[in-house]
Amino acid sequence: MNTRLRLVADRSVTTARPPHEEPLHEEPGPGAARCLGLYAKLAAGVTVVTARGEDGPLGMTVSAVTSLSARPPLLLACLRDGSRTLAAVRSRRTFAVHLLREEQEELAGRFASPTTSAAERFAGTDTRQVLGVPVLAGALAWSVCLTEDVRRYGDHHLVVGRVAAVHVGPGRPLLWHDRRFGTLTEPVPGAAG
């Protein structure tokens, strides 16, 4: 019996892989440049995620936001690793997601600029506090979320938020596609399609 146990133990040692050789940790497939080319073709509504930092409001433009669940009401946002906004979301456990209007391209660019300070991003914007989170007035829609989960994947973190407050106004969204801003166009009446 001891021999059998020893053989089983020996077999598991010889077949075990070091962590860096696990299939899920390998990076097969195309390079980053080709993947970024694919990602550029994904159309998305342009959003700004805001949170309360220790020194005041923080925020960043985010194109990877989606609904996750209606019951319970959950949103998913992908935030860049190392961002101050992500740090505030993790520590304060609340954040807001704003879907921008088609005429808010300048605001989206300001919140996306890596050289623009937090104070400059919020300068001249009408902001109010909802559940302790800075909310930008004039957005097409916004929600304040309670942080449910944060997980790192590659160079971003997936942030799951439970919607605690929501507002939806009239208008049309600003879109991001092919590395530039865009808007919806009305279909041509009577066009085949």
Side-chain angles (χ1 to χ4, degrees), residues 167-188:
H167 170 79
V168 178
R172 295 160 53 105
L174 179 63
L175 303 178
W176 181 252
H177 177 259
D178 219 6
R179 297 184 179 97
R180 62 180 178 255
F181 296 110
T183 59
L184 295 172
T185 58
E186 296 292 332
V188 177

Side-chain angles (χ1 to χ4, degrees), residues 6-31:
R6 187 176 55 78
L7 289 174
V8 170
D10 288 347
R11 191 176 311 143
S12 66
V13 170
T14 58
T15 59
R17 294 181 181 183
H20 67 283
E21 289 185 11
E22 290 294 322
L24 294 177
H25 294 285
E26 295 173 7
E27 294 188 29

Side-chain angles (χ1 to χ4, degrees), residues 50-116:
T50 59
R52 170 66 54 196
E54 289 189 25
D55 299 327
L58 296 169
M60 62 190 293
T61 300
V62 176
S63 61
V65 172
T66 190
S67 58
L68 183 60
S69 170
R71 287 183 165 258
L74 300 173
L75 285 178
L76 174 72
C78 299
L79 302 184
R80 187 181 65 252
D81 185 42
S83 74
R84 292 179 60 203
T85 304
L86 173 61
V89 167
R90 291 184 87 136
S91 67
R92 299 288 176 116
R93 309 296 296 169
T94 55
F95 62 97
V97 175
H98 307 81
L99 179 60
L100 299 186
R101 294 178 182 281
E102 61 185 354
E103 58 272 3
Q104 292 180 306
E105 184 176 327
E106 184 276 329
L107 184 66
R110 191 177 351 144
F111 274 83
S113 172
T115 59
T116 304

Side-chain angles (χ1 to χ4, degrees), residues 25 36 43 46-47 49 54 81 95 131 133 152 156 177 184:
H25 294 285
L36 289 173
V46 178
T47 61
V49 172
E54 289 189 25
D81 185 42
F95 62 97
L131 300 175
V133 179
R152 182 178 180 167
H156 280 67
H177 177 259
L184 295 172

Side-chain angles (χ1 to χ4, degrees), residues 74-77 86 89-90 93 95 146-153 157-162:
L74 300 173
L75 285 178
L76 174 72
L86 173 61
V89 167
R90 291 184 87 136
R93 309 296 296 169
F95 62 97
L146 308 176
T147 304
E148 288 274 318
D149 194 17
V150 179
R151 293 180 190 258
R152 182 178 180 167
Y153 289 93
H157 284 72
L158 299 182
V159 178
V160 177
R162 180 182 294 259

Side-chain angles (χ1 to χ4, degrees), residues 48 50 57-59 98 100 104 106-111 116-129 134-139:
V48 169
T50 59
L58 296 169
H98 307 81
L100 299 186
Q104 292 180 306
E106 184 276 329
L107 184 66
R110 191 177 351 144
F111 274 83
T116 304
S117 70
E120 292 169 327
R121 289 178 180 187
F122 285 90
T125 62
D126 185 13
T127 306
R128 64 187 179 116
Q129 300 294 308
V135 171
L136 305 173

